[in-house]
Amino acid sequence: MHNYLVVEIKFMAKLKILEFPNPRLRIKAHPVEAIDEKLNQKIDDMFETMYEAPGIGLAATQVDYHYRLLVADVSAEKNEPWVLINPVIIEKDGVEVTEEGCLSVPGYFEEVERAEHVKVRYLDRSGSQVETEFDGLLGVCVQHEMDHLEGKLFVDYLSEVKRQRIRKRLEKNRRHHSQGTAAVL
Ligand code: NI
């Protein structure tokens, strides 16, 4: 007698993350028009890429896919995945300063001021429209990733001098060797 093990094979691919100052990070993302197989594959690949990096959030723009889509997971166990499609901030209040990093700006952490609470309207992975209030680290993460979809990076909040210094160092590092990343968002 034979026992057959049926395994659903799901192919996931790690995607290349664009790094500052790549001009493709400045492209403004288009709205997602259909949640189809192609988009679902992209979402799986983005999670794979984010978890392996490791990071707690990733916007489609960062993997050179210019649609309004972001993924996040700020849990310690990496078991609370969020998918936000076509997100729009409909309410925000409060001010919070957090030291942020970015997988597209590896090795740099700077304080950024953002709203303390945001209410976001978006489509979830099943295509349902939902509204969720985010705060804390997840709130910061969602705002940071939504900036990416507008072609904006956290270094844009810094002074011109600081931003250019980071750009020059990253370009220099890249010429010598590809360095590891310890960034978070
Ligand atoms: Ni980022």
Side-chain angles (χ1 to χ4, degrees):
M1 187 178 158
H2 297 276
N3 289 312
Y4 291 96
L5 178 65
V6 179
V7 181
E8 186 197 350
I9 300 173
K10 214 169 173 183
F11 292 98
M12 292 202 277
K14 208 179 143 200
L15 306 168
K16 188 179 183 303
I17 299 175
L18 300 177
E19 291 185 3
F20 177 68
N22 190 315
R24 300 191 64 78
L25 285 167
R26 299 306 188 178
I27 298 171
K28 197 171 172 341
H30 299 284
V32 169
E33 281 170 9
I35 301 174
D36 53 14
E37 192 44 51
K38 191 176 167 226
L39 191 82
N40 273 302
Q41 181 67 53
K42 189 63 76 174
I43 292 168
D44 287 341
D45 291 346
M46 283 174 64
F47 273 118
E48 174 96 343
T49 305
M50 181 190 78
Y51 286 130
E52 278 195 36
I56 60 169
L58 188 67
T61 307
Q62 292 178 274
V63 291
D64 209 11
Y65 186 70
H66 302 282
Y67 289 91
R68 301 189 61 82
L69 161 69
L70 67 89
V71 300
D73 187 343
V74 302
S75 69
E77 295 78 21
K78 299 296 165 206
N79 58 2
E80 291 170 28
W82 288 86
V83 177
L84 277 66
I85 299 164
N86 297 341
V88 179
I89 292 175
I90 52 172
E91 278 176 39
K92 59 175 167 182
D93 64 76
V95 175
E96 188 171 34
V97 176
T98 310
E99 191 167 62
E100 297 187 13
C102 179
L103 293 173
S104 295
V105 191
Y108 288 89
F109 298 86
E110 298 286 346
E111 288 188 339
V112 178
E113 189 179 296
R114 300 202 185 263
E116 195 177 3
H117 304 273
V118 287
K119 190 186 221 181
V120 183
R121 180 182 296 148
Y122 59 96
L123 300 178
D124 67 14
R125 203 172 178 166
S126 70
S128 304
Q129 184 176 286
V130 277
E131 289 177 8
T132 308
E133 284 181 36
F134 296 102
D135 58 14
L137 186 56
L138 187 55
V140 171
C141 181
V142 166
Q143 291 175 78
H144 174 114
E145 307 311 337
M146 284 183 69
D147 270 357
H148 276 302
L149 302 179
E150 300 299 325
K152 191 167 183 176
L153 297 166
F154 87 99
V155 293
D156 297 349
Y157 294 98
L158 310 177
S159 70
E160 178 69 20
V161 171
K162 218 168 199 179
R163 185 166 49 254
Q164 294 311 328
R165 196 184 303 142
I166 292 172
R167 182 180 63 78
K168 280 181 190 145
R169 283 202 202 136
L170 281 175
E171 284 174 338
K172 196 178 166 196
N173 288 344
R174 226 164 279 144
R175 273 199 300 276
H176 292 303
H177 53 89
S178 63
Q179 67 171 30
T181 60
V184 287
L185 302 171

